[in-house]
Amino acid sequence: MADTATTASAAAASAASASSDAPPFQLGKPRFQQTSFYGRFRHFLDIIDPRTLFVTERRLREAVQLLEDYKHGTLRPGVTNEQLWSAQKIKQAILHPDTNEKIFMPFRMSGYIPFGTPIVVGLLLPNQTLASTVFWQWLNQSHNACVNYANRNATKPSPASKFIQGYLGAVISAVSIAVGLNVLVQKANKFTPATRLLIQRFVPFPAVGRLSCRHAPGCSSLCKASCAWQPSAWPCRWPSASSRKCQRLKQPN
């Protein structure tokens, strides 16, 4: 019965694809081919697409219901592959696949650019004081930690103490690196004022780059999104409706 339902859904989707350039829909699979850099790049753009932040509650329910109909073989006639891919994109962008709960908007992958860009601007502001340096580094690491936690692998919960320990370590390290480098640059007498100012603009990069992936245990969606740039990391099961644990952890040596 399950095989019949799946076959019926696939047949309905295939028949409806005649007027669409979208590839045949596959539930829980990436829309774009992952064997090429361009396909992985398109997949990555889909993940961070900020337009999904404006999806209404009604549209979300419709997308979820459409995917349920496809799964159970009750898809109504006329539904196109494009509609199915769009529904899956919306569901994966908003709902956590393990808990099926909505992810808070600033911590979604689609919100990483619009909510993270002001923080990056703050990190690069010129002539920062000690207080402003500490504030922007703390805010950046806090945002990254919340994104990691919101997109965590919820099938294997980790103790809160482990998350807090990683968060505090990241904040302290980032602040120490940024403040320490600023002090060293200011005391460097060999540099002209213009050169010193230019170097100070790059101080946030080592602090951010060194610690951006050390906030929470497990494999977050940030890790999975980075798979788009690493062909050696594939095959990867993500995005999947059942698990967010990166398949890289299970790859043979």
Side-chain angles (χ1 to χ4, degrees), residues 110-132:
S110 55
Y112 199 73
I113 292 178
F115 289 99
T117 298
I119 299 176
V120 173
V121 173
L123 288 169
L124 298 177
L125 290 175
N127 303 320
Q128 294 204 40
T129 63
L130 175 62
S132 65

PDB file of all heavy atoms in Angstrom, residues 110-132:
ATOM      1  N   SER A 110      18.077  31.189   6.871  1.00  0.00           N
ATOM      2  CA  SER A 110      17.641  32.233   5.944  1.00  0.00           C
ATOM      3  C   SER A 110      17.750  33.622   6.560  1.00  0.00           C
ATOM      4  O   SER A 110      17.721  34.629   5.846  1.00  0.00           O
ATOM      5  CB  SER A 110      16.201  31.976   5.499  1.00  0.00           C
ATOM      6  OG  SER A 110      15.339  31.846   6.626  1.00  0.00           O
ATOM      7  N   GLY A 111      17.867  33.698   7.873  1.00  0.00           N
ATOM      8  CA  GLY A 111      18.004  34.981   8.539  1.00  0.00           C
ATOM      9  C   GLY A 111      19.428  35.329   8.898  1.00  0.00           C
ATOM     10  O   GLY A 111      19.685  36.382   9.492  1.00  0.00           O
ATOM     11  N   TYR A 112      20.360  34.461   8.513  1.00  0.00           N
ATOM     12  CA  TYR A 112      21.749  34.675   8.938  1.00  0.00           C
ATOM     13  C   TYR A 112      22.341  35.933   8.309  1.00  0.00           C
ATOM     14  O   TYR A 112      23.090  36.671   8.959  1.00  0.00           O
ATOM     15  CB  TYR A 112      22.592  33.455   8.577  1.00  0.00           C
ATOM     16  CG  TYR A 112      23.880  33.375   9.355  1.00  0.00           C
ATOM     17  CD1 TYR A 112      23.867  33.029  10.697  1.00  0.00           C
ATOM     18  CD2 TYR A 112      25.101  33.661   8.764  1.00  0.00           C
ATOM     19  CE1 TYR A 112      25.028  32.960  11.435  1.00  0.00           C
ATOM     20  CE2 TYR A 112      26.277  33.594   9.496  1.00  0.00           C
ATOM     21  CZ  TYR A 112      26.241  33.246  10.826  1.00  0.00           C
ATOM     22  OH  TYR A 112      27.399  33.190  11.540  1.00  0.00           O
ATOM     23  N   ILE A 113      22.014  36.201   7.042  1.00  0.00           N
ATOM     24  CA  ILE A 113      22.555  37.383   6.377  1.00  0.00           C
ATOM     25  C   ILE A 113      21.868  38.659   6.842  1.00  0.00           C
ATOM     26  O   ILE A 113      22.551  39.602   7.275  1.00  0.00           O
ATOM     27  CB  ILE A 113      22.489  37.237   4.849  1.00  0.00           C
ATOM     28  CG1 ILE A 113      23.445  36.139   4.384  1.00  0.00           C
ATOM     29  CG2 ILE A 113      22.829  38.555   4.158  1.00  0.00           C
ATOM     30  CD1 ILE A 113      23.414  35.879   2.902  1.00  0.00           C
ATOM     31  N   PRO A 114      20.529  38.758   6.792  1.00  0.00           N
ATOM     32  CA  PRO A 114      19.907  40.025   7.214  1.00  0.00           C
ATOM     33  C   PRO A 114      20.119  40.358   8.681  1.00  0.00           C
ATOM     34  O   PRO A 114      20.239  41.530   9.041  1.00  0.00           O
ATOM     35  CB  PRO A 114      18.413  39.814   6.907  1.00  0.00           C
ATOM     36  CG  PRO A 114      18.233  38.348   6.757  1.00  0.00           C
ATOM     37  CD  PRO A 114      19.523  37.821   6.242  1.00  0.00           C
ATOM     38  N   PHE A 115      20.184  39.349   9.549  1.00  0.00           N
ATOM     39  CA  PHE A 115      20.384  39.638  10.968  1.00  0.00           C
ATOM     40  C   PHE A 115      21.866  39.675  11.341  1.00  0.00           C
ATOM     41  O   PHE A 115      22.233  40.268  12.358  1.00  0.00           O
ATOM     42  CB  PHE A 115      19.661  38.586  11.818  1.00  0.00           C
ATOM     43  CG  PHE A 115      18.171  38.712  11.787  1.00  0.00           C
ATOM     44  CD1 PHE A 115      17.403  37.903  10.966  1.00  0.00           C
ATOM     45  CD2 PHE A 115      17.523  39.652  12.561  1.00  0.00           C
ATOM     46  CE1 PHE A 115      16.019  38.017  10.920  1.00  0.00           C
ATOM     47  CE2 PHE A 115      16.135  39.780  12.531  1.00  0.00           C
ATOM     48  CZ  PHE A 115      15.381  38.958  11.700  1.00  0.00           C
ATOM     49  N   GLY A 116      22.702  39.043  10.534  1.00  0.00           N
ATOM     50  CA  GLY A 116      24.131  39.033  10.826  1.00  0.00           C
ATOM     51  C   GLY A 116      24.891  40.203  10.238  1.00  0.00           C
ATOM     52  O   GLY A 116      25.943  40.598  10.761  1.00  0.00           O
ATOM     53  N   THR A 117      24.366  40.782   9.154  1.00  0.00           N
ATOM     54  CA  THR A 117      25.069  41.884   8.497  1.00  0.00           C
ATOM     55  C   THR A 117      25.269  43.093   9.410  1.00  0.00           C
ATOM     56  O   THR A 117      26.367  43.661   9.442  1.00  0.00           O
ATOM     57  CB  THR A 117      24.316  42.309   7.216  1.00  0.00           C
ATOM     58  OG1 THR A 117      24.287  41.203   6.307  1.00  0.00           O
ATOM     59  CG2 THR A 117      25.002  43.486   6.550  1.00  0.00           C
ATOM     60  N   PRO A 118      24.255  43.537  10.174  1.00  0.00           N
ATOM     61  CA  PRO A 118      24.500  44.669  11.083  1.00  0.00           C
ATOM     62  C   PRO A 118      25.607  44.385  12.098  1.00  0.00           C
ATOM     63  O   PRO A 118      26.346  45.298  12.478  1.00  0.00           O
ATOM     64  CB  PRO A 118      23.142  44.849  11.782  1.00  0.00           C
ATOM     65  CG  PRO A 118      22.145  44.278  10.845  1.00  0.00           C
ATOM     66  CD  PRO A 118      22.829  43.123  10.188  1.00  0.00           C
ATOM     67  N   ILE A 119      25.724  43.136  12.514  1.00  0.00           N
ATOM     68  CA  ILE A 119      26.781  42.781  13.459  1.00  0.00           C
ATOM     69  C   ILE A 119      28.150  42.896  12.793  1.00  0.00           C
ATOM     70  O   ILE A 119      29.114  43.405  13.389  1.00  0.00           O
ATOM     71  CB  ILE A 119      26.564  41.360  13.998  1.00  0.00           C
ATOM     72  CG1 ILE A 119      25.230  41.275  14.735  1.00  0.00           C
ATOM     73  CG2 ILE A 119      27.709  40.942  14.917  1.00  0.00           C
ATOM     74  CD1 ILE A 119      24.885  39.880  15.232  1.00  0.00           C
ATOM     75  N   VAL A 120      28.249  42.447  11.537  1.00  0.00           N
ATOM     76  CA  VAL A 120      29.512  42.556  10.808  1.00  0.00           C
ATOM     77  C   VAL A 120      29.899  44.021  10.633  1.00  0.00           C
ATOM     78  O   VAL A 120      31.072  44.390  10.784  1.00  0.00           O
ATOM     79  CB  VAL A 120      29.399  41.859   9.432  1.00  0.00           C
ATOM     80  CG1 VAL A 120      30.644  42.100   8.598  1.00  0.00           C
ATOM     81  CG2 VAL A 120      29.168  40.367   9.612  1.00  0.00           C
ATOM     82  N   VAL A 121      28.919  44.860  10.320  1.00  0.00           N
ATOM     83  CA  VAL A 121      29.186  46.292  10.191  1.00  0.00           C
ATOM     84  C   VAL A 121      29.717  46.846  11.516  1.00  0.00           C
ATOM     85  O   VAL A 121      30.669  47.637  11.549  1.00  0.00           O
ATOM     86  CB  VAL A 121      27.918  47.047   9.753  1.00  0.00           C
ATOM     87  CG1 VAL A 121      28.141  48.562   9.791  1.00  0.00           C
ATOM     88  CG2 VAL A 121      27.506  46.616   8.353  1.00  0.00           C
ATOM     89  N   GLY A 122      29.098  46.436  12.614  1.00  0.00           N
ATOM     90  CA  GLY A 122      29.560  46.887  13.925  1.00  0.00           C
ATOM     91  C   GLY A 122      30.984  46.447  14.235  1.00  0.00           C
ATOM     92  O   GLY A 122      31.762  47.195  14.822  1.00  0.00           O
ATOM     93  N   LEU A 123      31.330  45.223  13.816  1.00  0.00           N
ATOM     94  CA  LEU A 123      32.684  44.722  14.044  1.00  0.00           C
ATOM     95  C   LEU A 123      33.728  45.538  13.294  1.00  0.00           C
ATOM     96  O   LEU A 123      34.884  45.638  13.726  1.00  0.00           O
ATOM     97  CB  LEU A 123      32.780  43.258  13.616  1.00  0.00           C
ATOM     98  CG  LEU A 123      32.071  42.228  14.504  1.00  0.00           C
ATOM     99  CD1 LEU A 123      32.027  40.878  13.799  1.00  0.00           C
ATOM    100  CD2 LEU A 123      32.773  42.097  15.845  1.00  0.00           C
ATOM    101  N   LEU A 124      33.331  46.116  12.152  1.00  0.00           N
ATOM    102  CA  LEU A 124      34.277  46.826  11.291  1.00  0.00           C
ATOM    103  C   LEU A 124      34.256  48.341  11.489  1.00  0.00           C
ATOM    104  O   LEU A 124      34.926  49.062  10.749  1.00  0.00           O
ATOM    105  CB  LEU A 124      33.982  46.495   9.825  1.00  0.00           C
ATOM    106  CG  LEU A 124      34.132  45.029   9.424  1.00  0.00           C
ATOM    107  CD1 LEU A 124      33.739  44.832   7.971  1.00  0.00           C
ATOM    108  CD2 LEU A 124      35.565  44.549   9.654  1.00  0.00           C
ATOM    109  N   LEU A 125      33.499  48.830  12.461  1.00  0.00           N
ATOM    110  CA  LEU A 125      33.470  50.268  12.702  1.00  0.00           C
ATOM    111  C   LEU A 125      34.856  50.777  13.088  1.00  0.00           C
ATOM    112  O   LEU A 125      35.568  50.138  13.861  1.00  0.00           O
ATOM    113  CB  LEU A 125      32.473  50.593  13.814  1.00  0.00           C
ATOM    114  CG  LEU A 125      30.982  50.412  13.487  1.00  0.00           C
ATOM    115  CD1 LEU A 125      30.139  50.654  14.741  1.00  0.00           C
ATOM    116  CD2 LEU A 125      30.564  51.349  12.365  1.00  0.00           C
ATOM    117  N   PRO A 126      35.254  51.941  12.573  1.00  0.00           N
ATOM    118  CA  PRO A 126      36.594  52.480  12.903  1.00  0.00           C
ATOM    119  C   PRO A 126      36.624  53.127  14.282  1.00  0.00           C
ATOM    120  O   PRO A 126      35.593  53.495  14.848  1.00  0.00           O
ATOM    121  CB  PRO A 126      36.809  53.520  11.798  1.00  0.00           C
ATOM    122  CG  PRO A 126      35.425  53.977  11.442  1.00  0.00           C
ATOM    123  CD  PRO A 126      34.535  52.774  11.597  1.00  0.00           C
ATOM    124  N   ASN A 127      37.848  53.254  14.792  1.00  0.00           N
ATOM    125  CA  ASN A 127      38.096  53.971  16.053  1.00  0.00           C
ATOM    126  C   ASN A 127      37.229  53.438  17.198  1.00  0.00           C
ATOM    127  O   ASN A 127      36.605  54.211  17.934  1.00  0.00           O
ATOM    128  CB  ASN A 127      37.849  55.476  15.871  1.00  0.00           C
ATOM    129  CG  ASN A 127      38.707  56.072  14.774  1.00  0.00           C
ATOM    130  OD1 ASN A 127      39.887  55.735  14.637  1.00  0.00           O
ATOM    131  ND2 ASN A 127      38.122  56.945  13.961  1.00  0.00           N
ATOM    132  N   GLN A 128      37.208  52.138  17.356  1.00  0.00           N
ATOM    133  CA  GLN A 128      36.396  51.551  18.410  1.00  0.00           C
ATOM    134  C   GLN A 128      37.094  51.660  19.765  1.00  0.00           C
ATOM    135  O   GLN A 128      38.313  51.558  19.879  1.00  0.00           O
ATOM    136  CB  GLN A 128      36.107  50.087  18.100  1.00  0.00           C
ATOM    137  CG  GLN A 128      35.226  49.884  16.881  1.00  0.00           C
ATOM    138  CD  GLN A 128      34.493  48.560  16.930  1.00  0.00           C
ATOM    139  OE1 GLN A 128      34.021  48.134  17.978  1.00  0.00           O
ATOM    140  NE2 GLN A 128      34.387  47.904  15.785  1.00  0.00           N
ATOM    141  N   THR A 129      36.277  51.838  20.792  1.00  0.00           N
ATOM    142  CA  THR A 129      36.783  51.837  22.149  1.00  0.00           C
ATOM    143  C   THR A 129      36.859  50.402  22.653  1.00  0.00           C
ATOM    144  O   THR A 129      36.398  49.468  21.989  1.00  0.00           O
ATOM    145  CB  THR A 129      35.859  52.655  23.059  1.00  0.00           C
ATOM    146  OG1 THR A 129      34.563  52.022  23.094  1.00  0.00           O
ATOM    147  CG2 THR A 129      35.715  54.074  22.551  1.00  0.00           C
ATOM    148  N   LEU A 130      37.418  50.229  23.840  1.00  0.00           N
ATOM    149  CA  LEU A 130      37.485  48.903  24.441  1.00  0.00           C
ATOM    150  C   LEU A 130      36.079  48.342  24.654  1.00  0.00           C
ATOM    151  O   LEU A 130      35.813  47.168  24.365  1.00  0.00           O
ATOM    152  CB  LEU A 130      38.228  48.968  25.775  1.00  0.00           C
ATOM    153  CG  LEU A 130      38.284  47.663  26.583  1.00  0.00           C
ATOM    154  CD1 LEU A 130      39.026  46.582  25.809  1.00  0.00           C
ATOM    155  CD2 LEU A 130      38.944  47.909  27.942  1.00  0.00           C
ATOM    156  N   ALA A 131      35.175  49.192  25.129  1.00  0.00           N
ATOM    157  CA  ALA A 131      33.802  48.744  25.393  1.00  0.00           C
ATOM    158  C   ALA A 131      33.092  48.313  24.105  1.00  0.00           C
ATOM    159  O   ALA A 131      32.395  47.296  24.080  1.00  0.00           O
ATOM    160  CB  ALA A 131      33.025  49.857  26.082  1.00  0.00           C
ATOM    161  N   SER A 132      33.253  49.087  23.027  1.00  0.00           N
ATOM    162  CA  SER A 132      32.582  48.739  21.773  1.00  0.00           C
ATOM    163  C   SER A 132      33.159  47.468  21.165  1.00  0.00           C
ATOM    164  O   SER A 132      32.426  46.656  20.589  1.00  0.00           O
ATOM    165  CB  SER A 132      32.676  49.893  20.776  1.00  0.00           C
ATOM    166  OG  SER A 132      34.026  50.120  20.395  1.00  0.00           O
TER     167      SER A 132
END
